[in-house]
């Protein structure tokens, strides 16, 4: 049986984290452990997660706190390191803001479809997906970038940064992602890396909702930054994907356990 880690990155999600955790009760059998990593929230996110864990002692959950705010990419690196050190076979990433739904991967888990791929990527913009209260401007912008990347990478891409993904830990062993930006563009660099390393991956549709969550996306500046990175990647793929892309060099992404069932 595969050893699967469910990683939940969260930042200022006190109103959403318990909803996310509630949704996992019927999925307990799939996951060896649920790993909630709080990225230095300014609200009561980790307190709510710990309270929930104590009230659901039958759930294999650990609540971690990053030693500093590593941003979304840095939290991924901390979780990937945890999965590697503890010999997990796969890691599922589900954002803690309750925009995505764990039910979207039930069939993939039941039929073990994930074992056929290096990674399975949730997509908000493919047939079968459903967007709720999502800004038309953001939809248009995302689709435009999906088309641009598809043309440049010669592969149909349905999303560059969905909040529900499954990765083979074996694929992560060489830590090719370690020098990628810790910022929100981390997932975009992962997409470029999948192209460069000729990774076997698939997309699956998502139900994605916006219900008052605080978005951390700075649309315009992130868009220009993404275009610049794509241009540099196309100029020299190997040099770009293996270069240091972080604005701050961090030798180790440390996350400390504050509660574990």
């Amino acid at each position: 049986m595969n050893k699967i880690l469910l990683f939940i990155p969260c930042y200022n999600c006190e109103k959403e984290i318990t909803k996310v955790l509630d949704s996992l009760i019927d999925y307990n059998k799939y996951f060896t452990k649920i790993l909630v990593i709080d990225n230095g929230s300014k609200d009561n996110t980790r307190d709510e997660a710990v309270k929930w864990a104590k009230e659901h002692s039958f759930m294999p959950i650990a609540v971690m706190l990053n030693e500093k705010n590593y941003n979304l990419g840095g939290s991924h690196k901390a979780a990937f390191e945890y999965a590697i050190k503890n010999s997990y076979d796969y890691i599922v990433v589900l954002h803690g803001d309750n925009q995505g739904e764990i039910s979207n991967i039930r069939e993939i888990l039941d039929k073990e479809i994930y074992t056929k791929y290096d990674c399975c990527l949730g997509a908000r913009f493919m047939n079968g997906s459903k967007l709720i209260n999502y800004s038309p401007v953001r939809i248009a912008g995302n689709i435009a970038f999906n088309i641009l990347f598809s043309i440049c990478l010669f592969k149909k891409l349905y999303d560059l940064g969905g909040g529900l993904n499954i990765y083979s830990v074996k694929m992560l062993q060489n830590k090719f992602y370690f020098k990628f930006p810790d910022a929100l563009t981390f997932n975009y660099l992962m997409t470029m890396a999948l192209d460069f390393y000729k990774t076997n991956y698939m997309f699956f549709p998502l139900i994605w909702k916006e219900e008052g969550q605080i978005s951390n996306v700075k649309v315009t500046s992130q868009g220009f930054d993404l275009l610049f990175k794509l241009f540099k990647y196309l100029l020299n793929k190997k040099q770009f994907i293996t270069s240091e892309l972080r604005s701050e060099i961090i030798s180790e992404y440390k996350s400390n356990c504050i509660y574990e069932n």
Side-chain angles (χ1 to χ4, degrees):
M1 184 175 181
N2 289 308
K3 189 178 178 183
I4 304 177
L5 176 69
L6 174 60
F7 158 52
I8 304 176
C10 50
Y11 179 74
N12 291 348
C13 299
E14 66 175 358
K15 296 180 179 178
E16 294 85 27
I17 189 62
T18 54
K19 297 176 185 177
V20 174
L21 293 173
D22 282 341
S23 72
L24 301 177
I25 293 176
D26 291 338
Y27 292 80
N28 194 16
K29 66 178 181 179
Y30 297 109
F31 306 117
T32 308
K33 179 172 285 188
I34 299 166
L35 186 69
V36 177
I37 297 187
D38 182 86
N39 197 31
S41 294
K42 304 299 184 182
D43 62 8
N44 296 314
T45 297
R46 53 188 170 276
D47 295 331
E48 290 296 321
V50 168
K51 179 183 177 183
W52 190 94
K54 290 180 178 178
E55 292 173 351
H56 300 79
S57 58
F58 60 92
M59 297 289 284
I61 182 171
V63 181
M64 312 279 285
L65 174 63
N66 286 340
E67 289 197 354
K68 61 180 292 185
N69 187 318
Y70 296 133
N71 215 314
L72 181 63
S75 289
H76 274 72
K77 294 172 189 178
F80 289 169
E81 184 66 20
Y82 185 96
I84 293 169
K85 284 185 175 180
N86 291 279
S87 302
Y88 282 90
D89 299 304
Y90 294 89
I91 179 170
V92 176
V93 182
L94 172 67
H95 287 194
D97 57 11
N98 198 38
Q99 290 184 282
E101 297 185 5
I102 193 68
S103 60
N104 294 152
I105 61 170
R106 183 150 211 162
E107 183 178 4
I108 294 173
L109 294 172
D110 277 336
K111 297 181 179 180
E112 296 190 342
I113 295 172
Y114 61 90
T115 61
K116 300 176 183 178
Y117 298 91
D118 295 310
C119 53
C120 303
L121 306 174
R124 295 162 291 178
F125 309 100
M126 68 182 298
N127 289 336
S129 298
K130 183 178 181 181
L131 296 174
I132 302 171
N133 296 329
Y134 211 73
S135 163
V137 174
R138 292 180 65 186
I139 291 174
N142 275 280
I143 291 175
F145 272 104
N146 291 342
I147 293 172
L148 176 62
F149 268 68
S150 296
I151 293 171
C152 293
L153 303 184
F154 301 101
K155 184 176 177 67
K156 179 65 175 177
L157 302 173
Y158 296 96
D159 206 327
L160 302 178
L164 177 57
N165 300 308
I166 307 173
Y167 298 100
S168 163
V169 176
K170 183 178 180 181
M171 181 192 77
L172 304 171
Q173 292 274 357
N174 67 358
K175 303 182 183 181
F176 63 87
Y177 53 82
F178 196 77
K179 294 181 180 179
F180 290 174
D182 294 330
L184 296 171
T185 51
F186 176 80
N187 278 333
Y188 304 141
L189 269 294
M190 288 291 285
T191 301
M192 295 181 201
L194 298 182
D195 169 70
F196 179 75
Y197 292 108
K198 308 303 179 185
T199 307
N200 181 26
Y201 61 97
M202 63 162 282
F203 287 97
F204 60 89
L206 291 178
I207 298 173
W208 198 258
K209 55 186 180 294
E210 293 241 358
E211 296 177 339
Q213 294 94 339
I214 300 173
S215 174
N216 293 310
V217 178
K218 298 178 180 178
V219 179
T220 304
S221 60
Q222 181 174 295
F224 281 116
D225 181 55
L226 183 55
L227 287 174
F228 179 68
K229 285 181 168 58
L230 177 60
F231 176 71
K232 292 191 70 174
Y233 174 68
L234 295 175
L235 280 180
N236 191 323
K237 291 185 177 183
K238 183 176 181 179
Q239 180 179 327
F240 176 77
I241 212 70
T242 59
S243 64
E244 179 58 72
L245 298 169
R246 295 172 293 176
S247 57
E248 178 184 359
I249 308 303
I250 297 174
S251 60
E252 184 178 1
Y253 294 83
K254 296 181 179 179
S255 189
N256 300 312
C257 184
I258 57 177
Y259 182 82
E260 184 171 9
N261 280 344

